[in-house]
Amino acid sequence: MSVVRDTKAYFDGARAEPNSRNMWCHIMGGVDGAEFSKGLQRLALERATSVARALETLGLAPGDCFPTRLAGPTPFVPSQPGKAEDFNRVVVITLYPGMAPIGN
């Protein structure tokens, strides 16, 4: 939760700048090989959505967050196919200025 609070603080700080552009929060969830091989790709989006909800409870507007999942079986961290790898059961938060994302 400390990372979520830090994310919200950074987001608010960037938006408070006088000449700041729009700030967006892209949240991407992942699954490991064991989850993927069991057809549990939905867990990736559930992880990302959970983080988005946590940010919303801290005051981030729902339209400022874009939860998605890592597409396909490509892991964040290389691992053996079908094996559990905690580092791939992860959520990556990217904050960026500019136009809203159109999709992933």
mmCIF file of all heavy atoms in Angstrom, residues 58-91:
data_model
loop_
_atom_site.group_PDB
_atom_site.id
_atom_site.type_symbol
_atom_site.label_atom_id
_atom_site.label_comp_id
_atom_site.label_asym_id
_atom_site.label_seq_id
_atom_site.Cartn_x
_atom_site.Cartn_y
_atom_site.Cartn_z
ATOM 1 N N LEU A 58 -7.960 6.665 -2.381
ATOM 2 C CA LEU A 58 -7.111 7.780 -1.934
ATOM 3 C C LEU A 58 -7.464 9.084 -2.637
ATOM 4 O O LEU A 58 -6.842 10.112 -2.377
ATOM 5 C CB LEU A 58 -5.639 7.441 -2.169
ATOM 6 C CG LEU A 58 -5.090 6.284 -1.347
ATOM 7 C CD1 LEU A 58 -3.649 5.985 -1.757
ATOM 8 C CD2 LEU A 58 -5.173 6.578 0.136
ATOM 9 N N GLY A 59 -8.438 9.037 -3.560
ATOM 10 C CA GLY A 59 -8.905 10.263 -4.196
ATOM 11 C C GLY A 59 -8.598 10.416 -5.674
ATOM 12 O O GLY A 59 -8.964 11.424 -6.272
ATOM 13 N N LEU A 60 -7.943 9.460 -6.290
ATOM 14 C CA LEU A 60 -7.695 9.547 -7.722
ATOM 15 C C LEU A 60 -9.005 9.307 -8.462
ATOM 16 O O LEU A 60 -9.755 8.391 -8.118
ATOM 17 C CB LEU A 60 -6.661 8.504 -8.144
ATOM 18 C CG LEU A 60 -5.965 8.740 -9.486
ATOM 19 C CD1 LEU A 60 -5.060 9.955 -9.399
ATOM 20 C CD2 LEU A 60 -5.140 7.540 -9.868
ATOM 21 N N ALA A 61 -9.318 10.122 -9.437
ATOM 22 C CA ALA A 61 -10.563 9.976 -10.194
ATOM 23 C C ALA A 61 -10.521 8.693 -11.022
ATOM 24 O O ALA A 61 -9.471 8.358 -11.588
ATOM 25 C CB ALA A 61 -10.766 11.175 -11.103
ATOM 26 N N PRO A 62 -11.635 7.969 -11.109
ATOM 27 C CA PRO A 62 -11.660 6.727 -11.893
ATOM 28 C C PRO A 62 -11.186 6.913 -13.336
ATOM 29 O O PRO A 62 -10.542 6.043 -13.893
ATOM 30 C CB PRO A 62 -13.120 6.291 -11.835
ATOM 31 C CG PRO A 62 -13.639 6.892 -10.577
ATOM 32 C CD PRO A 62 -12.915 8.203 -10.438
ATOM 33 N N GLY A 63 -11.478 8.040 -13.936
ATOM 34 C CA GLY A 63 -11.062 8.291 -15.315
ATOM 35 C C GLY A 63 -9.578 8.558 -15.487
ATOM 36 O O GLY A 63 -9.080 8.619 -16.603
ATOM 37 N N ASP A 64 -8.853 8.714 -14.378
ATOM 38 C CA ASP A 64 -7.417 8.957 -14.448
ATOM 39 C C ASP A 64 -6.610 7.667 -14.471
ATOM 40 O O ASP A 64 -5.411 7.694 -14.707
ATOM 41 C CB ASP A 64 -6.954 9.810 -13.265
ATOM 42 C CG ASP A 64 -7.474 11.237 -13.350
ATOM 43 O OD1 ASP A 64 -7.789 11.691 -14.466
ATOM 44 O OD2 ASP A 64 -7.559 11.874 -12.296
ATOM 45 N N CYS A 65 -7.256 6.538 -14.181
ATOM 46 C CA CYS A 65 -6.586 5.237 -14.120
ATOM 47 C C CYS A 65 -7.011 4.371 -15.297
ATOM 48 O O CYS A 65 -8.186 4.358 -15.665
ATOM 49 C CB CYS A 65 -6.972 4.489 -12.854
ATOM 50 S SG CYS A 65 -6.378 5.220 -11.356
ATOM 51 N N PHE A 66 -6.073 3.639 -15.835
ATOM 52 C CA PHE A 66 -6.352 2.723 -16.927
ATOM 53 C C PHE A 66 -5.760 1.356 -16.599
ATOM 54 O O PHE A 66 -4.623 1.071 -16.945
ATOM 55 C CB PHE A 66 -5.785 3.265 -18.246
ATOM 56 C CG PHE A 66 -6.395 4.576 -18.623
ATOM 57 C CD1 PHE A 66 -5.818 5.771 -18.225
ATOM 58 C CD2 PHE A 66 -7.584 4.622 -19.334
ATOM 59 C CE1 PHE A 66 -6.392 6.983 -18.544
ATOM 60 C CE2 PHE A 66 -8.170 5.829 -19.659
ATOM 61 C CZ PHE A 66 -7.571 7.014 -19.261
ATOM 62 N N PRO A 67 -6.541 0.511 -15.903
ATOM 63 C CA PRO A 67 -6.028 -0.823 -15.593
ATOM 64 C C PRO A 67 -6.097 -1.737 -16.813
ATOM 65 O O PRO A 67 -7.098 -1.752 -17.529
ATOM 66 C CB PRO A 67 -6.943 -1.322 -14.474
ATOM 67 C CG PRO A 67 -8.172 -0.510 -14.572
ATOM 68 C CD PRO A 67 -7.815 0.771 -15.262
ATOM 69 N N THR A 68 -5.021 -2.435 -17.083
ATOM 70 C CA THR A 68 -4.954 -3.387 -18.194
ATOM 71 C C THR A 68 -4.153 -4.599 -17.724
ATOM 72 O O THR A 68 -3.676 -4.645 -16.608
ATOM 73 C CB THR A 68 -4.258 -2.787 -19.428
ATOM 74 O OG1 THR A 68 -2.917 -2.423 -19.083
ATOM 75 C CG2 THR A 68 -4.991 -1.577 -19.969
ATOM 76 N N ARG A 69 -3.997 -5.559 -18.623
ATOM 77 C CA ARG A 69 -3.160 -6.711 -18.305
ATOM 78 C C ARG A 69 -2.093 -6.845 -19.371
ATOM 79 O O ARG A 69 -2.261 -6.369 -20.491
ATOM 80 C CB ARG A 69 -3.975 -7.990 -18.210
ATOM 81 C CG ARG A 69 -4.559 -8.446 -19.523
ATOM 82 C CD ARG A 69 -5.339 -9.749 -19.333
ATOM 83 N NE ARG A 69 -5.930 -10.185 -20.568
ATOM 84 C CZ ARG A 69 -5.326 -10.938 -21.484
ATOM 85 N NH1 ARG A 69 -4.080 -11.328 -21.309
ATOM 86 N NH2 ARG A 69 -5.951 -11.295 -22.574
ATOM 87 N N LEU A 70 -1.015 -7.471 -19.004
ATOM 88 C CA LEU A 70 0.034 -7.776 -19.964
ATOM 89 C C LEU A 70 -0.546 -8.748 -20.976
ATOM 90 O O LEU A 70 -1.100 -9.778 -20.599
ATOM 91 C CB LEU A 70 1.233 -8.389 -19.246
ATOM 92 C CG LEU A 70 2.487 -8.628 -20.078
ATOM 93 C CD1 LEU A 70 3.046 -7.302 -20.569
ATOM 94 C CD2 LEU A 70 3.533 -9.344 -19.254
ATOM 95 N N ALA A 71 -0.486 -8.405 -22.230
ATOM 96 C CA ALA A 71 -1.073 -9.244 -23.274
ATOM 97 C C ALA A 71 -0.211 -10.469 -23.541
ATOM 98 O O ALA A 71 1.007 -10.378 -23.601
ATOM 99 C CB ALA A 71 -1.255 -8.440 -24.556
ATOM 100 N N GLY A 72 -0.857 -11.602 -23.672
ATOM 101 C CA GLY A 72 -0.164 -12.818 -24.049
ATOM 102 C C GLY A 72 0.652 -13.429 -22.933
ATOM 103 O O GLY A 72 0.624 -12.985 -21.797
ATOM 104 N N PRO A 73 1.406 -14.454 -23.265
ATOM 105 C CA PRO A 73 2.161 -15.192 -22.249
ATOM 106 C C PRO A 73 3.521 -14.593 -21.929
ATOM 107 O O PRO A 73 4.284 -15.179 -21.185
ATOM 108 C CB PRO A 73 2.327 -16.569 -22.905
ATOM 109 C CG PRO A 73 2.407 -16.263 -24.358
ATOM 110 C CD PRO A 73 1.456 -15.103 -24.568
ATOM 111 N N THR A 74 3.842 -13.440 -22.459
ATOM 112 C CA THR A 74 5.152 -12.837 -22.222
ATOM 113 C C THR A 74 5.252 -12.369 -20.775
ATOM 114 O O THR A 74 4.499 -11.504 -20.348
ATOM 115 C CB THR A 74 5.374 -11.636 -23.154
ATOM 116 O OG1 THR A 74 5.166 -12.051 -24.494
ATOM 117 C CG2 THR A 74 6.776 -11.077 -23.003
ATOM 118 N N PRO A 75 6.170 -12.910 -19.995
ATOM 119 C CA PRO A 75 6.295 -12.513 -18.587
ATOM 120 C C PRO A 75 7.124 -11.245 -18.428
ATOM 121 O O PRO A 75 7.865 -10.852 -19.321
ATOM 122 C CB PRO A 75 7.019 -13.705 -17.968
ATOM 123 C CG PRO A 75 7.850 -14.228 -19.086
ATOM 124 C CD PRO A 75 7.047 -14.002 -20.346
ATOM 125 N N PHE A 76 6.977 -10.587 -17.293
ATOM 126 C CA PHE A 76 7.831 -9.450 -16.961
ATOM 127 C C PHE A 76 9.255 -9.932 -16.699
ATOM 128 O O PHE A 76 10.219 -9.300 -17.070
ATOM 129 C CB PHE A 76 7.315 -8.724 -15.706
ATOM 130 C CG PHE A 76 6.066 -7.923 -15.945
ATOM 131 C CD1 PHE A 76 4.845 -8.366 -15.477
ATOM 132 C CD2 PHE A 76 6.104 -6.729 -16.639
ATOM 133 C CE1 PHE A 76 3.693 -7.634 -15.687
ATOM 134 C CE2 PHE A 76 4.964 -5.985 -16.863
ATOM 135 C CZ PHE A 76 3.745 -6.440 -16.375
ATOM 136 N N VAL A 77 9.375 -11.088 -16.013
ATOM 137 C CA VAL A 77 10.659 -11.676 -15.664
ATOM 138 C C VAL A 77 10.754 -13.037 -16.346
ATOM 139 O O VAL A 77 9.833 -13.841 -16.222
ATOM 140 C CB VAL A 77 10.780 -11.849 -14.130
ATOM 141 C CG1 VAL A 77 12.058 -12.553 -13.753
ATOM 142 C CG2 VAL A 77 10.675 -10.520 -13.426
ATOM 143 N N PRO A 78 11.837 -13.329 -17.073
ATOM 144 C CA PRO A 78 11.944 -14.637 -17.725
ATOM 145 C C PRO A 78 11.836 -15.780 -16.710
ATOM 146 O O PRO A 78 12.401 -15.702 -15.622
ATOM 147 C CB PRO A 78 13.331 -14.615 -18.361
ATOM 148 C CG PRO A 78 13.690 -13.177 -18.470
ATOM 149 C CD PRO A 78 13.001 -12.485 -17.328
ATOM 150 N N SER A 79 11.092 -16.802 -17.083
ATOM 151 C CA SER A 79 10.939 -17.968 -16.218
ATOM 152 C C SER A 79 10.614 -19.175 -17.088
ATOM 153 O O SER A 79 10.338 -19.040 -18.279
ATOM 154 C CB SER A 79 9.844 -17.744 -15.175
ATOM 155 O OG SER A 79 8.600 -17.554 -15.792
ATOM 156 N N GLN A 80 10.626 -20.336 -16.489
ATOM 157 C CA GLN A 80 10.301 -21.562 -17.208
ATOM 158 C C GLN A 80 8.805 -21.595 -17.521
ATOM 159 O O GLN A 80 8.001 -21.205 -16.677
ATOM 160 C CB GLN A 80 10.667 -22.786 -16.355
ATOM 161 C CG GLN A 80 12.140 -22.921 -16.089
ATOM 162 C CD GLN A 80 12.912 -23.193 -17.367
ATOM 163 O OE1 GLN A 80 12.470 -23.940 -18.220
ATOM 164 N NE2 GLN A 80 14.065 -22.560 -17.501
ATOM 165 N N PRO A 81 8.421 -22.067 -18.712
ATOM 166 C CA PRO A 81 6.992 -22.161 -19.035
ATOM 167 C C PRO A 81 6.256 -23.029 -18.011
ATOM 168 O O PRO A 81 6.742 -24.078 -17.608
ATOM 169 C CB PRO A 81 6.980 -22.822 -20.416
ATOM 170 C CG PRO A 81 8.333 -22.546 -20.986
ATOM 171 C CD PRO A 81 9.264 -22.504 -19.810
ATOM 172 N N GLY A 82 5.112 -22.550 -17.575
ATOM 173 C CA GLY A 82 4.286 -23.293 -16.645
ATOM 174 C C GLY A 82 4.745 -23.265 -15.200
ATOM 175 O O GLY A 82 4.147 -23.908 -14.346
ATOM 176 N N LYS A 83 5.804 -22.531 -14.895
ATOM 177 C CA LYS A 83 6.344 -22.479 -13.528
ATOM 178 C C LYS A 83 5.880 -21.210 -12.812
ATOM 179 O O LYS A 83 5.695 -20.167 -13.411
ATOM 180 C CB LYS A 83 7.880 -22.502 -13.544
ATOM 181 C CG LYS A 83 8.456 -23.744 -14.144
ATOM 182 C CD LYS A 83 8.187 -24.930 -13.249
ATOM 183 C CE LYS A 83 8.829 -26.173 -13.851
ATOM 184 N NZ LYS A 83 8.539 -27.365 -13.111
ATOM 185 N N ALA A 84 5.733 -21.325 -11.503
ATOM 186 C CA ALA A 84 5.387 -20.173 -10.682
ATOM 187 C C ALA A 84 6.598 -19.248 -10.553
ATOM 188 O O ALA A 84 7.718 -19.708 -10.397
ATOM 189 C CB ALA A 84 4.926 -20.631 -9.298
ATOM 190 N N GLU A 85 6.370 -17.970 -10.652
ATOM 191 C CA GLU A 85 7.421 -16.960 -10.516
ATOM 192 C C GLU A 85 6.766 -15.721 -9.912
ATOM 193 O O GLU A 85 6.053 -14.989 -10.595
ATOM 194 C CB GLU A 85 8.048 -16.637 -11.865
ATOM 195 C CG GLU A 85 9.038 -15.489 -11.860
ATOM 196 C CD GLU A 85 10.173 -15.677 -10.884
ATOM 197 O OE1 GLU A 85 10.982 -16.586 -11.078
ATOM 198 O OE2 GLU A 85 10.235 -14.899 -9.907
ATOM 199 N N ASP A 86 6.994 -15.508 -8.613
ATOM 200 C CA ASP A 86 6.341 -14.415 -7.901
ATOM 201 C C ASP A 86 6.533 -13.060 -8.575
ATOM 202 O O ASP A 86 5.648 -12.211 -8.531
ATOM 203 C CB ASP A 86 6.825 -14.345 -6.456
ATOM 204 C CG ASP A 86 6.319 -15.511 -5.624
ATOM 205 O OD1 ASP A 86 5.357 -16.181 -6.052
ATOM 206 O OD2 ASP A 86 6.883 -15.754 -4.547
ATOM 207 N N PHE A 87 7.685 -12.833 -9.182
ATOM 208 C CA PHE A 87 7.944 -11.537 -9.801
ATOM 209 C C PHE A 87 7.043 -11.270 -11.005
ATOM 210 O O PHE A 87 6.955 -10.138 -11.472
ATOM 211 C CB PHE A 87 9.416 -11.400 -10.198
ATOM 212 C CG PHE A 87 10.322 -11.207 -9.030
ATOM 213 C CD1 PHE A 87 11.200 -12.195 -8.643
ATOM 214 C CD2 PHE A 87 10.281 -10.037 -8.292
ATOM 215 C CE1 PHE A 87 12.034 -12.022 -7.553
ATOM 216 C CE2 PHE A 87 11.108 -9.848 -7.200
ATOM 217 C CZ PHE A 87 11.991 -10.847 -6.827
ATOM 218 N N ASN A 88 6.397 -12.295 -11.535
ATOM 219 C CA ASN A 88 5.465 -12.094 -12.641
ATOM 220 C C ASN A 88 4.029 -11.927 -12.150
ATOM 221 O O ASN A 88 3.152 -11.572 -12.921
ATOM 222 C CB ASN A 88 5.560 -13.243 -13.645
ATOM 223 C CG ASN A 88 6.841 -13.147 -14.432
ATOM 224 O OD1 ASN A 88 7.279 -12.060 -14.783
ATOM 225 N ND2 ASN A 88 7.464 -14.274 -14.687
ATOM 226 N N ARG A 89 3.793 -12.171 -10.878
ATOM 227 C CA ARG A 89 2.492 -11.901 -10.259
ATOM 228 C C ARG A 89 2.575 -10.486 -9.712
ATOM 229 O O ARG A 89 2.657 -10.255 -8.514
ATOM 230 C CB ARG A 89 2.206 -12.905 -9.151
ATOM 231 C CG ARG A 89 2.078 -14.316 -9.665
ATOM 232 C CD ARG A 89 1.798 -15.290 -8.554
ATOM 233 N NE ARG A 89 1.699 -16.637 -9.091
ATOM 234 C CZ ARG A 89 1.302 -17.686 -8.395
ATOM 235 N NH1 ARG A 89 0.977 -17.555 -7.122
ATOM 236 N NH2 ARG A 89 1.232 -18.868 -8.963
ATOM 237 N N VAL A 90 2.574 -9.545 -10.627
ATOM 238 C CA VAL A 90 2.952 -8.172 -10.301
ATOM 239 C C VAL A 90 2.012 -7.178 -10.971
ATOM 240 O O VAL A 90 1.279 -7.527 -11.900
ATOM 241 C CB VAL A 90 4.414 -7.929 -10.760
ATOM 242 C CG1 VAL A 90 4.530 -7.924 -12.258
ATOM 243 C CG2 VAL A 90 4.991 -6.684 -10.179
ATOM 244 N N VAL A 91 2.057 -5.964 -10.478
ATOM 245 C CA VAL A 91 1.370 -4.845 -11.109
ATOM 246 C C VAL A 91 2.406 -3.754 -11.336
ATOM 247 O O VAL A 91 3.172 -3.414 -10.439
ATOM 248 C CB VAL A 91 0.221 -4.315 -10.225
ATOM 249 C CG1 VAL A 91 -0.385 -3.059 -10.817
ATOM 250 C CG2 VAL A 91 -0.850 -5.382 -10.042
#
